[in-house]
Amino acid sequence: MAEELNMDEDARDREMEAEYALEYDAQCPFCQQVLKTLQVVRLLRSRVNFTSTLPRRGRVIICPECKKIISAELAGFA
Ligand SMILES: [Zn+2]
């Protein structure tokens, strides 16, 4: 039971979909940290206009240090 609670907390802590290793170090434009990884957070559509043709999902790439958004994209949206 206690373990289950810990897992929930852990899941909440790790809101990102995944972490990616950078092939070369890069610097965050916001916090100036030299980064070896970037985190990817899933973007789920929560509200939409009935006539919207925007995709249901996307992703946001954030700095693992300051959590600021470096890049965002919508799935299948060229
Ligand atoms: Zn940063």
Side-chain angles (χ1 to χ4, degrees), residues 23-58:
E23 194 173 7
Y24 303 100
D25 290 358
Q27 191 179 28
C28 173
F30 304 108
C31 68
Q32 316 304 326
Q33 280 284 325
V34 175
L35 304 175
K36 294 180 185 305
T37 61
L38 289 173
Q39 292 178 350
V40 177
V41 186
R42 225 185 322 195
L43 202 56
L44 300 170
R45 193 173 62 188
S46 57
R47 225 152 49 107
V48 68
N49 186 302
F50 182 67
T51 56
S52 175
T53 56
L54 289 169
R56 295 175 56 206
R57 292 198 281 175

Side-chain angles (χ1 to χ4, degrees), residues 1-12:
M1 203 57 168
E3 250 181 26
E4 241 174 279
L5 282 174
N6 283 341
M7 274 178 66
D8 282 351
E9 267 175 46
D10 197 40
R12 229 175 293 129

Side-chain angles (χ1 to χ4, degrees), residues 13-19 39-42 62 67:
D13 230 37
R14 296 183 294 110
E15 285 166 337
M16 82 256 181
E17 169 98 26
E19 186 175 78
Q39 292 178 350
V40 177
V41 186
R42 225 185 322 195
I62 63 168
K67 307 292 182 194

